[in-house]
Amino acid sequence: MKILVCVKQVPDMESRFKPDGSGTWFEEADLAFRMNEYDEYAVEQAVQLKEQLGNEPEVTVLSIGPDRVNEAIKKALAMGCDRGAHIQDPAPQGKDPWQIASIITQFAQGEGFDLIFTGMQSQDRGSAQVGVLVAELLGFACATTLVGFAYADGVITAKRELEGGIKGIAKLRLPAVVTCQLGLNIPRYPTLPNIMKAKKKEILAIPVADLLKEEAVASTARFYPPARKGGGIVLEGDVGNLVEQLYGILKEKTTVLR
Amino acid sequence: MKALLVCEYREGKLLDSTYELLAFADRLGAEKAMFLIGSDSALPACSTTVYLADAAKHGEYNPDVHKKLVLDAAQRENADCIVFVHSSYGWDLAPRVAAALRAGQVSEIVGIVDGGYEVGCCNAKMRRTVVPKSGKAVLTIQAGAFSSSDTPQGTPRVERIDTADGASPMEFVGYEPAEKKDVDLTRAEVIVSAGRGVGKKDNIPTIEALAKALGGELGASRPVVDAGWVDHSHQVGTTGQSVSPKLYVACGISGAIQHLAGMKKSDFVVAINKDKDAPIGEVADVLVVADVMQFVPALTAKLQ
Ligand SMILES: Cc1cc2nc3c(=O)[nH]c(=O)nc-3n(C[C@@H](O)[C@H](O)[C@H](O)COP(=O)(O)OP(=O)(O)OC[C@H]3O[C@@H](n4cnc5c(N)ncnc54)[C@H](O)[C@@H]3O)c2cc1C
Ligand SMILES: Cc1cc2nc3c(=O)[nH]c(=O)nc-3n(C[C@H](O)[C@H](O)[C@H](O)COP(=O)(O)OP(=O)(O)OC[C@H]3O[C@@H](n4cnc5c(N)ncnc54)[C@H](O)[C@@H]3O)c2cc1C
């Protein structure tokens, strides 16, 4: 079995974001980047499946982006993926989900994957499109928002998370794409020996121009902070003072202090 | 502009989000038609055309077939945009329709702005204006972002649609009901919730102590539950409980839309966050900018 996991590198969401010169994205300079949280679950599920099948499957991890995305690829390799594919794109941010999906599809077509894992969405953009688009372009079965995954004899039993705590159960035949939701599993931490081992694993480097055949179908016109609606009070300063201030406010504005 | 609005139907019922689609189309100033895979006994109250396919035949979740039916209706209606709610049904089906039409999709729209659609990004800290570049567009709207105060009324004109092509590599097995809750947060007057910002499982008792000092219950954001620090019965949000206490205290919670959906009806919201820009500030009556593990014990001590 051949498995592909797609990982995106995103800025740490605790960062302070400001628009860049073009006004269509964020200024990258001061940001720390990490693997998209949803994709950690995708990597973990792929590695768990490999282990379940006696390590027979080969797991490839792919990321599109500038050189920094190698960090995300290396993390996935240290978690147990076998080889990496870095699609070198100095400006992935200028591409829409359709283009990102078509790049992944081009790569996958030459490889003959049976199963592809993606996150259900990215933390920075959150389109929740790429995985499903890849499935459609490849003609694979697809289920989204998995909080449960089981595999036996060419069939995946997928537990999808619906609203209000209800789950939907579906069975999919391979080849398939599944998109992973938070809580699907408990992603492992890469151990030091595995980080060392990962250094020896192959990472293909492929220029994006070799795989990009599609024009964008959507574009970002503007990137900006939301208008502040909240008339809420912001308290800052010494903790002792903050406690006194908040206590006073709670006494005045609520009925919960007795 | 003509909009085809894709309604949702689950466990034999039309979902209320249908009316959010109508509100969105009105804001857009679009001509409307609706699409439903459901039944005659659960039609939306509206005065537009409804393209109706039979859920008994085509299933409630069967995206490969639902896609074909949506495409059929979109073609008959010659729709310029096809609109879904950004829900487990919508985000699953919309990209399939977009791929078939090679149309641009704009996901989780929160507003309509000059020349495009406004969407959130970077965990709701920022916004983007997105413009579809294709002739037709696929749109998903954020749940709760568009609503109308008018009571829905009218009787739709039903156009039946069907397909003989039921082929799919997927089989829907059924629903699993939500877990029974052993904690009923909906009755709590005070909820103090722990988010990822509390740092580690060992810090949860500190948050619990504040809840106790305020005579309330412990709540939690999803990552805290997923990591096993707190049981799922305490989770607040779209995939947890919806609460409306007199006081909600969010400790180290960023304020993602899925969390806000579960607590924004609270009477009074206090957020404790080291990040002044955290989106929780949007709904907080008071945002205390502080380290949660320093501030919370001090507040608890003051209350005791
Ligand atoms: C200046 C600028 C302009 C932009 N303009 C546009 C624009 O016009 N239109 C637009 O739609 N977007 C635009 N973007 C953002 C764009 O690059 C998105 O990141 C990309 O389209 C993927 O969408 P998403 O992250 O929402 O994917 P989602 O569909 O939310 O991602 C789901 C999953 O797909 C996989 N995935 C996503 N991206 C990658 C990747 N790079 N490598 C490997 N796997 C991946 C991951 O498994 C992820 O979990 C712009 C960004 C910038 C900086
Ligand atoms: C379909 C779907 C359904 C979901 N359902 C839910 C749901 O029901 N409920 C839910 O909560 N989420 C849900 N989520 C997840 C949601 O999108 C967010 O990922 C989640 O709410 C984030 O939790 P958080 O705020 O605790 O963590 P983070 O977003 O990581 O935020 C942590 C916050 O803590 C602050 N912080 C860090 N350290 C400190 C410190 N020392 N002192 C003070 N502050 C600190 C940071 O500034 C940050 O704002 C869902 C997601 C999806 C896609």
Side-chain angles (χ1 to χ4, degrees), chain B residues 95-279:
Chain B
R96 303 180 201 249
V97 171
L101 294 171
R102 301 178 69 86
Q105 179 182 328
V106 186
S107 301
E108 206 167 9
I109 295 169
V110 298
I112 298 165
V113 289
D114 198 23
Y117 302 101
E118 185 173 66
V119 304
C121 61
C122 299
N123 200 8
K125 279 183 154 181
M126 300 296 282
R127 294 279 186 276
R128 293 190 311 139
T129 303
V130 184
V131 187
K133 295 209 274 191
S134 48
K136 296 192 186 300
V138 171
L139 310 174
T140 71
I141 60 170
Q142 186 173 81
F146 297 89
S147 59
S148 158
S149 47
D150 304 343
T151 316
Q153 52 187 354
T155 311
R157 198 174 62 79
V158 175
E159 278 285 335
R160 287 180 201 279
I161 49 169
D162 201 352
T163 173
D165 181 4
S168 169
M170 162 138 59
E171 178 203 343
F172 183 63
V173 180
Y175 297 106
E176 186 182 287
E179 290 165 44
K180 288 253 180 312
K181 313 266 186 262
D182 44 320
V183 189
D184 187 2
L185 294 180
T186 58
R187 287 163 194 276
E189 290 208 341
V190 176
I191 296 172
V192 180
S193 285
R196 182 149 42 196
V198 306
K200 53 181 185 206
K201 187 172 185 173
D202 295 350
N203 290 340
I204 297 293
T206 307
I207 309 301
E208 231 170 348
L210 176 59
K212 202 166 262 163
L214 285 163
E217 297 277 0
L218 177 71
S221 72
R222 177 167 182 150
V224 166
V225 171
D226 286 343
W229 300 353
V230 171
D231 186 73
H232 179 261
S233 53
H234 294 268
Q235 185 179 314
V236 173
T238 43
T239 48
Q241 302 191 50
S242 279
V243 301
S244 50
K246 287 185 176 158
L247 173 64
Y248 188 88
V249 185
C251 305
I253 293 179
S254 61
I257 175 72
Q258 296 90 354
H259 189 82
L260 299 188
M263 49 65 71
K264 66 183 176 198
K265 294 206 183 92
S266 307
D267 290 346
F268 199 82
V269 176
V270 174
I272 299 141
N273 202 302
K274 64 173 188 193
D275 178 3
K276 204 177 159 179
D277 293 336

Side-chain angles (χ1 to χ4, degrees), chain A residues 172-246:
Chain A
L172 292 78
R173 282 193 302 276
L174 296 188
V177 176
V178 293
T179 82
C180 303
Q181 163 67 314
L182 307 173
L184 170 61
N185 48 45
I186 297 185
R188 68 194 69 189
Y189 288 104
T191 60
L192 194 56
N194 285 339
I195 293 171
M196 300 313 290
K197 252 197 258 166
K199 289 197 178 40
K200 299 202 191 73
K201 293 181 182 172
E202 174 193 26
I203 302 181
L204 302 171
I206 305 166
V208 71
D210 293 0
L211 298 172
L212 182 61
K213 311 271 189 269
E214 294 285 336
E215 299 274 320
V217 289
S219 74
T220 299
R222 211 158 75 80
F223 177 83
Y224 48 97
R228 286 267 166 213
K229 317 183 204 80
I233 309 167
V234 179
L235 301 179
E236 286 179 275
D238 164 72
V239 166
N241 280 337
L242 291 176
V243 167
E244 292 303 325
Q245 286 179 50
L246 181 63

